[in-house]
Amino acid sequence: MNQAAIHKTLAGKPGRKPTPGKLKDLFEMRRAANFTLIQDLFFSLYPEARYAASFQNLQKLLSSQYKNRPAALKLQDIERQGEGNWYQSGAWTGMQLYVDRFCGDLKKLKEKLPYFEALGINFLHLMPITKRPSGPNDGGYAVNSYTEIDPTYGTEEDFIELTKAMREKGICLMLDFVVNHTSDEFPWALEAKSGNLKYQEFYYTFPDRNMPDLFEAHLPEVFPETSPGNFTYSTEMERWVMTVFNTYQWDLNYTNPVVFLSMLENLLELSNKGVDVIRFDALAFLWKKIGTVSQNLPEAHQLVSLFRLCLQVVAPGVIILAEAIVAPEEIVAYFGKGILKGNECEIAYNATFMACLWNSVATKKTNLLRRSLRGLPPKPDASTWINYIRCHDDIGLGFDDSHISALGWDPQTHRRFLLDYFCQRLDWSPAKGAVFMYNPFTGDGRITGSTASLLGLEQAIEEKDVLKITSSVNKILMMYGIILAAPGIPLIYAGDELGMLNDYSYMAEADKVMDSRWINRPLHDWETVSGLGTVENHASRIYFGLQHLIALRKELPALADARSVTYHDAGNDHLLVFERDGETENGVLILANFDENPQVVRTSLLSALGYMDKGQFQNLIDGKKQKVRSGLLELSPAELLWLPKC
Ligand code: GLC
């Protein structure tokens, strides 16, 4: 039993509205239940002999932040606990967006809530909205404050109003917590620059290159093109500072307990503003050690768990998403292992699934996808995935090399092929993507571009080729139809619901031109939205297709994450065939054809699994029943089927 399960048992069945006294008792019980683990984790990172007083400060912080937590949120916490693992319900469908690019500001976003409701979206990831430098700021991932709303987005009041309205409508809110670094304009960084030694110890700062060189010997580069190396010389401070991401993002020094406590305070304050899910940004990088790549270190996991267990004491209804775009088995580790199992993050991005889906698009085969998903270590029962196709970042090709080799491909050549396929280096490829952070020394690169452009819509529109447009629309719906049926929360990237293409305007902006991820951060196309349903075009087909799939998903209990998933071998590598909740009569079988040609599957497989009877099956997506006369069921290119048990 993990700590969350213990807290649920303590909270009991949801009954009468708990009194403030009862709520306080529950807080004390949670504190007691987590105490030993918190203490153990804290002193293993910060030895007791030196840091006993810091631990007292941690205890005080939990009490004061609990006191500050608004009453409505305290009640919601208890309701959430009564709902079990609420985030595993099949009812959630998410959307990720930049508020400014979507509609301007938080006030306008509140007015747009009906847009989400109409599509069936009830989970929003708002990209950073707190204060950031006015120059380059990595889309807000360089933070000047963890809690103060940036005036471009509105006021504190606008934010609180938005969260209230979202709660009333049952829309869940996810915000970022940029836990690894601050901007170089953050108050701590400004103090450090002015020579304040206390704050210089908040970061990894060094007077000369000795230590940086020792670190560099093993550190990879995250942004090799725009920000080579992992250290930046600050002329104001006259010291080197560790900057793993951009030069203006200073890595926090978590070997200093004051940094942990200050960041915990920021986390709790943010949670107390009415956030449901906190996205722990770049959490794999939290602990640095000379002689290592300084990613996914055991201490990083201990830190995440420490944050988790403290947050749980104050706000048990708030959960954490791991933004760990790392090797497949390293991602699963963020759900917690050993004694930390279930005590780290409840959700993680299913980056393996995402990257393998794109691999299937390029190769037209699903062998790597099936192999990789089957090869993933099982995740703890109480955890879930965010399933996505595109997000604001690049598509990294982080497959397990052994799987690529086992399929007879050379890993390096295969990655090269994928870059070529998606980034306009092959004449026959319909994809219009761009390379992100090509490293000429290693030959590594990542891919960026919008879903629609990567799936051929941009080229098809340019060529005014109706058949190609249809093919691309089908591919978009197939890709989303897969993640809408997979175990986890599907997250749609805003604009994908309209088939929005690459946005090249970033090339004219000095702050952005070097970062090709901006190609997929377009201004939302409200003109197209206003034409939905009145104009018969690709946007309408995608929008209404998605709307229908989302609604269908909500009606199918088999698609909730607590239900099983089995990836079947269909005897045809072009097809992805997986089953949800197959042991029960609610079972759903999902079939998708990644090839450009029709492909077949034996009907005997469908009959044996219980999805076909006397040659007849039903497709839930169009509701139609079909009879198959031969022993083979044919799927047209990019066709997607969701079949119910017979
Ligand atoms: C995460 C964000 C990415 C950002 C980086 C540094 O990976 O998703 O956009 O550049 O962290 O904060």
Side-chain angles (χ1 to χ4, degrees), residues 138 141 181 223 245 249 279 281-282 323 392-393 517:
D138 195 13
Y141 283 100
H181 44 261
F223 294 146
F245 289 85
Q249 287 165 311
R279 177 186 183 273
D281 180 68
E323 194 259 333
H392 67 295
D393 280 333
R517 290 175 301 175

Side-chain angles (χ1 to χ4, degrees), residues 169-377:
K169 291 179 178 294
I171 303 178
C172 183
L173 173 63
M174 176 157 92
L175 284 191
D176 278 274
F177 183 56
V178 186
V179 60
N180 178 66
H181 44 261
T182 71
S183 78
D184 62 349
E185 290 182 8
F186 195 86
W188 303 336
L190 295 180
E191 285 290 342
K193 283 183 192 173
S194 75
N196 187 329
L197 295 182
K198 175 181 164 192
Y199 288 99
Q200 287 183 358
E201 285 175 10
F202 269 48
Y203 302 95
Y204 289 92
T205 74
F206 304 101
D208 52 42
R209 281 296 306 185
N210 290 336
M211 293 291 279
D213 287 345
L214 288 174
F215 272 110
E216 286 289 14
H218 294 90
L219 287 178
E221 292 174 310
V222 179
F223 294 146
E225 254 184 301
T226 49
S227 189
N230 289 279
F231 290 85
T232 302
Y233 188 72
S234 160
T235 45
E236 291 111 312
M237 190 165 57
E238 296 181 339
R239 287 174 81 84
W240 290 90
V241 59
M242 185 182 272
T243 53
V244 167
F245 289 85
N246 287 298
T247 52
Y248 50 83
Q249 287 165 311
W250 288 19
D251 286 62
L252 287 162
N253 173 9
Y254 279 98
T255 63
N256 178 352
V258 187
V259 169
F260 170 72
L261 290 176
S262 311
M263 288 300 283
L264 178 62
E265 187 168 6
N266 283 322
L267 171 68
L268 297 175
E269 270 182 34
L270 183 66
S271 307
N272 281 347
K273 285 180 186 293
V275 183
D276 304 294
V277 184
I278 308 260
R279 177 186 183 273
F280 262 48
D281 180 68
L283 81 182
F285 297 81
L286 285 187
W287 200 268
K288 295 37 177 179
K289 210 184 276 173
I290 287 174
T292 73
V293 292
S294 297
Q295 287 182 36
N296 309 310
L297 293 180
E299 291 87 345
H301 285 281
Q302 288 170 343
L303 260 177
V304 175
S305 188
L306 193 51
F307 275 119
R308 155 77 284 152
L309 295 171
C310 292
L311 176 63
Q312 204 169 54
V313 171
V314 174
V318 179
I319 57 171
I320 299 180
L321 161 75
E323 194 259 333
I325 313 302
V326 290
E329 69 282 5
E330 297 286 6
I331 301 181
V332 179
Y334 285 94
F335 292 128
K337 287 210 286 208
I339 196 165
L340 302 184
K341 188 169 172 185
N343 289 329
E344 278 194 56
C345 301
E346 284 85 351
I347 318 184
Y349 281 108
N350 202 346
T352 313
F353 194 22
M354 180 276 298
C356 288
L357 281 171
W358 287 108
N359 180 74
S360 298
V361 168
T363 60
K364 327 278 180 234
K365 291 202 173 144
T366 63
N367 43 9
L368 183 65
L369 175 62
R370 280 176 289 133
R371 214 186 153 83
S372 303
L373 293 179
R374 284 185 184 144
L376 277 185

